Amino acid sequence: MKISYNWIQQFINVDWDAQKTGELLTDLGLEIEGIAPFTSIPGGLEGVVVGEVLECMQHPNADRLKLTKVDLGNGEAVQIVCGAPNVAAGQKVPVATVGTTLYDGEGKPWQIKKGKIRGEVSMGMICAEDELGLGQSHDGIMILDEDLVSGTPASEVFDIENDHVFEIGLTPNRADAMSHWGVARDLRAGLLQNEVSLELITPSTSSFKIENRTLKMDVSVADNELAPRYCGVTISGLKVEESPNWLQNRLKAIGLAPINNVVDITNYVLHELGQPLHAFDAVKIAQNKVEVKTLPAGTKFVTLDGVERELHAEDLMICDGEKPMCIAGVFGGEHSGVTESTTSIFLESAYFNPISVRKTAKRHGLNTDASFRFERGIDPNITEYALMRAAILLCEIAGGEITSDIVDIYPKKIEDHQVFLNFENATKLIGQEIPRETIKEILTSLDIKIENVTETGIGMTIPAYRNDVTREADVIEEILRVFGYNNIDFTVKLNASIASSKIIEDHEIQNRVGDQLASLGFHEMLCNSLTNANYTNLVDGLKEEYNVPMLNPLSQDLEVMRQTLLFGALEAVAYNNNRKTSIVKLFEFGKTYHNYPSGREEKKHLSLVISGNREEDSWAVPSKKSDFFYGKGVVNAILDRLGIHGYSEKGLKNDAFSEGIKITKGKKDLVEFGVISKKVTKHFGIGETVLYADFNWDSILEEIPTGNFLVRPIPKFPKVKRDFALLLDNEITFDALKTAALQTEKQLLKEVSLFDVYTGKNLPKGKKSYALSFTLLDERKTLTDKQIDKIMGKLQQRFEKDFGAQLR
């Protein structure tokens, strides 16, 4: 938000320099992100001086150019080639000397250089008013007062306003500071703490006068919840034209382009007092009716930017007797605004429901100065005052007269709220006792009314415009920011207690796993916890009634809290695929949110998503797609890294996966992993195979071993490997075979692996062939053939008995 220092000084006559004032504003919580100089004339006319034309003759080589000799006040006349038709000897003129920087109509700089024009030397330029930024005319050069002394800087001749503009990083809760008046109010409070007592000058409305009542509007509000307060007045006899320089300069300083005097005044009051206003051409208001209401969904409306928009049933509109004219608090209509031919207006000042305005602005993708303020909550008690202030300016500047009573529909006043501050609580939170008189002075300087003071605390009334101060803690924060965080003492001695901590810290485990995944080429992502409610329909395991809905969703895509990390991961895959990313390996630590009948629950998860190639293309290694077993290897590597062993794997029945496994240990589900079904990926526009793993992080943390672990030397004796080729039924899994083998030989069998799978010709129907490798080791001695054959015989018998296996 841009704030003009000159404008601030209209409210409070502070003589500090801009830098010092900016530091105080930052201390008050209005962080100054930058201070930029502003001049009403670009460049400030630096290098432009008054010159006297001593001679003026025809250019020898050009019919439309003149050769002039100009006295610049330094005792030596210079030759300047000039093309203006009105240049003549004896004139006093503005001259841009060599080296001067001027600015064109778009604000782009260009420099005056010594040069030759049609063979004649030119040592500067005699300027027209548009070339200096002093007007729009280019009919000829400016002719100045003949009494001016040659060599006088033009900056001393013309009225140039120099200003400093603060760029304030305003936090969303400080709706009260969204205007120059609000910032001046805070500045006064800060100055009082610096022992500088200054009066806050309020713009007067005593000159407001109703001249006649010849133009009355019939105003009605259909829903006072959406428009708690609505004011309006008519002004006639206006002349729409260019605004005076002082008004244009105020708007230009804060980055606004002047339009015309009527629109400029509404913008001026908006940034002065923080109250948005809107001016309607009274002639265009059908039946002289102004109706504040909603319209049926699907109603078409063309806004000021020429875009036809389709209205929502909850969009609040300002209508006349026949048609909509404006989206309330957001944007005006194309056919009801002020034009050059406007002579009478209906001026609106209102307080609209912040939630309603925010939803409407988001729905239509609009963000205006008015909606920015209405969304955060403006002061409901200056609605009429701001209207009167603008009406007075319109009468003074545009020559109008007030032609109706003020309509003020305010059926239920928005009351100030009460808060009690306990002195002891304030001291605890601040960490230092602030004198009670100082506390009272600070509260009073913030327009907080003290109702009663006791030994224990203060009862107070908070003005309605401070909608961010509703609790005792908020009041303490106000006291602290005005008192000054820098004024809080810090003790030399630091007291701390040693707290007991878990052996396993969640963040440490996350870092460990994150580092491991990063080494495997994964990137961490952070998805929004808010998601689309319709996603739950993609997977039968998710129920719509378990969603946690948002009371005020930003959009339909962000209306519920997520029940799974899957959909955010798929959105990320789609985003990367659309940008031709060949390798997608992402992981996220996050929470899911569930509204179960037994109560709301949050669960922590780790999700992995893999799509595309395993590695970048290389001449040395052919590209290979990521497949199920690659993803399963990553999952197993994470569990091994965490020291989790002895888990089992079984088939996964979940319609989110076309195939998958569930890893469990005891009664705890640790991981679900598999290939996401085409039905789900198609919804996100993903054509690639997507592998997804969901770690139940809470269960993972419980299974990480916390006791001491043994370190064993590398065995001195050799390992022995033996293989089986088994003919099996298709339903039998490798995990079942592995479990049976390890149960059969618990001491010497160290590892079982599957190195070949065959299905196809020369096998009976419903059969498959597995090639298994068994690793045997006795850490105390070398295994004999007799021992090995005995173990392999036991394994063969177990496979034949339990699985009907045949040795091929």
Side-chain angles (χ1 to χ4, degrees), residues 541-672:
L542 302 177
K543 294 185 178 180
E544 191 172 343
E545 57 266 30
Y546 291 169
N547 279 332
V548 180
M550 301 301 295
L551 292 177
N552 302 306
L554 293 173
S555 68
Q556 188 176 0
D557 292 332
L558 302 171
E559 59 183 342
V560 299
M561 303 191 79
R562 61 187 178 186
Q563 291 191 52
T564 173
L565 273 58
L566 170 62
F567 303 125
L570 291 176
E571 288 176 344
V573 171
Y575 181 90
N576 281 275
N577 283 354
N578 291 338
R579 285 151 183 80
K580 307 301 181 184
T581 304
S582 61
I583 301 175
V584 179
K585 297 180 184 178
L586 304 170
F587 71 96
E588 178 185 14
F589 290 97
K591 289 185 177 182
T592 59
Y593 308 87
H594 312 268
N595 189 21
Y596 295 131
S598 57
R600 293 181 177 177
E601 290 185 20
E602 292 183 17
K603 299 178 181 179
K604 197 161 191 178
H605 294 260
L606 163 64
S607 69
L608 309 181
V609 64
I610 304 169
S611 182
N613 297 336
R614 291 191 191 183
E615 298 172 348
E616 294 286 354
D617 293 339
S618 169
W619 63 271
V621 181
S623 62
K624 188 174 183 181
K625 292 288 185 182
S626 299
D627 57 19
F628 180 91
F629 297 101
Y630 171 72
K632 183 173 178 289
V634 174
V635 171
N636 290 337
I638 291 173
L639 296 176
D640 290 345
R641 178 71 177 84
L642 297 176
I644 300 175
H645 305 289
Y647 51 81
S648 59
E649 301 174 358
K650 59 183 179 181
L652 177 62
K653 295 181 179 180
N654 186 327
D655 66 343
F657 298 91
S658 58
E659 58 177 319
I661 58 171
K662 178 184 285 188
I663 297 177
T664 61
K665 187 172 183 182
K667 295 183 179 180
K668 294 178 182 175
D669 294 339
L670 300 183
V671 189
E672 291 185 352

Side-chain angles (χ1 to χ4, degrees), residues 423-542:
F423 290 130
E424 186 176 341
N425 290 342
T427 301
K428 284 181 180 178
L429 277 178
I430 294 172
Q432 175 179 318
E433 185 174 358
I434 296 178
R436 296 183 181 185
E437 284 302 317
T438 302
I439 289 176
K440 289 191 286 184
E441 288 175 3
I442 290 173
L443 294 175
T444 302
S445 69
L446 291 171
D447 292 343
I448 295 174
K449 185 179 179 182
I450 296 175
E451 300 292 349
N452 57 77
V453 182
T454 67
E455 285 297 315
T456 58
I458 301 176
M460 66 196 77
T461 300
I462 311 295
Y465 68 80
R466 289 310 305 269
N467 52 38
D468 61 319
V469 182
T470 58
R471 307 166 300 164
E472 181 186 48
D474 298 329
V475 174
I476 295 172
E477 182 183 359
E478 290 297 294
I479 294 168
L480 183 53
R481 72 178 182 85
V482 176
F483 181 75
Y485 290 96
N486 296 333
N487 295 324
I488 301 299
D489 296 330
F490 291 89
T491 58
V492 177
K493 182 180 179 183
L494 179 64
N495 297 321
S497 57
I498 300 175
S500 59
S501 61
K502 299 178 182 178
I503 296 175
I504 296 176
E505 291 290 350
D506 187 0
H507 68 277
E508 292 179 356
I509 302 301
Q510 287 188 39
N511 288 339
R512 189 188 306 171
V513 172
D515 289 344
Q516 181 184 5
L517 288 168
S519 69
L520 295 173
F522 282 76
H523 296 276
E524 186 170 9
M525 62 178 172
L526 185 62
C527 298
N528 201 326
S529 295
L530 302 177
T531 189
N532 193 318
N534 295 326
Y535 284 168
T536 55
N537 300 325
L538 297 175
V539 180
D540 291 340
L542 302 177

